[in-house]
Amino acid sequence: LSAMAESVSGLMARHPVLRTRFRVAGANRLAEQVLDAQGEIPLCVVDSDDPERAALEASIAFDQNRFEIEAEWPLRMAVIRRRGELTHVVAVYNHIALDARGLDLLLADLLGAAPDPGGPAGAQSLALQPLDQARWQGSTAGRRQSARALRHWRRVLEQAPYRQFSTMRDRAEAGEEPPYLKLVLASQAALLAARMIAERTRQSLGHIL
């Protein structure tokens, strides 16, 4: 357990994005990112004689509670123990701060495996860190690129059909249930197969799934 806690601590120290919170202004608008130099993150420990079930329950519990983006870092982790032995690690992250490729990089780091320099995670590791990226975005070149991107998306969105996005909103306004179901699949075989495909095609696990 102490080694796992040390690994999580090292992960938080090496990746500034995991120490990032968001300050919200009026009308729920994200005003700025806040990068903490230090702090504490909980590592939940669950003892169970059915560790697989406990891991699934921990994952669901994490997933069902919204991240408090102003007060909470974008990572939640738990370890499951059976008779004192660690059997499972559960990690849930806030998608505002981390995408699938970033998650591949973090998992490789947590497991002590170097990402393939030619693969998606390897490319992600060469990206700018958040503070460097923010400085560039505030530069003349960064503002020019932002203006071009905004002009592009304005053209794209102006041409998008209105009804494409209105069905769920219309149903919600009418008090109907959302027209979708959330399904959870737990399959060791599917995970192993997806990892093999990801390794062979040099794609991220998220893309394969």
Side-chain angles (χ1 to χ4, degrees), residues 20-23 36 40 67-74:
T20 299
R21 293 174 294 117
F22 297 88
R23 193 163 288 149
D36 296 312
E40 293 184 355
F67 277 89
E68 298 293 336
I69 61 174
E70 291 188 275
E72 184 181 4
W73 285 336

Side-chain angles (χ1 to χ4, degrees), residues 1 5 13 15 28 34 36 46 55 73-74 98 103 112 114 142-144 151 153-154 175 179 181 188 197:
L1 183 59
H15 299 280
N28 291 324
V34 180
D36 296 312
V46 180
W73 285 336
L98 199 64
L103 182 64
R143 290 196 298 269
R144 276 201 304 263
R151 287 195 298 271
W153 281 108
R154 175 179 283 276
L181 297 174
Q188 186 69 19
I197 296 171

Side-chain angles (χ1 to χ4, degrees), residues 32-106:
E32 59 184 350
Q33 295 173 239
V34 180
L35 176 58
D36 296 312
Q38 60 185 5
E40 293 184 355
I41 184 170
L43 176 62
C44 302
V45 182
V46 180
D47 290 294
S48 175
D49 288 329
D50 188 352
E52 189 167 336
R53 181 179 180 84
L56 180 60
E57 289 176 349
S59 176
I60 293 172
F62 279 161
D63 191 47
Q64 287 180 341
N65 290 297
R66 294 180 60 179
F67 277 89
E68 298 293 336
I69 61 174
E70 291 188 275
E72 184 181 4
W73 285 336
L75 178 68
R76 294 171 177 167
M77 292 195 71
V79 291
I80 314 300
R81 295 190 302 189
R82 183 174 184 269
R83 297 172 188 169
E85 181 182 356
L86 299 187
T87 61
H88 294 70
V89 177
V90 178
V92 173
Y93 62 95
N94 188 341
H95 198 34
I96 290 178
L98 199 64
D99 61 11
R101 291 186 178 188
L103 182 64
D104 286 346
L105 177 63
L106 290 179

Side-chain angles (χ1 to χ4, degrees), residues 111-155:
L111 298 173
D116 179 1
Q124 186 81 12
S125 67
L126 301 177
L128 291 175
Q129 292 292 350
L131 278 178
D132 296 325
Q133 188 172 12
R135 291 188 188 100
W136 182 85
Q137 289 171 343
S139 69
T140 301
R143 290 196 298 269
R144 276 201 304 263
Q145 186 187 62
S146 176
R148 287 196 301 269
L150 288 173
R151 287 195 298 271
H152 166 76
W153 281 108
R154 175 179 283 276
R155 288 194 300 270

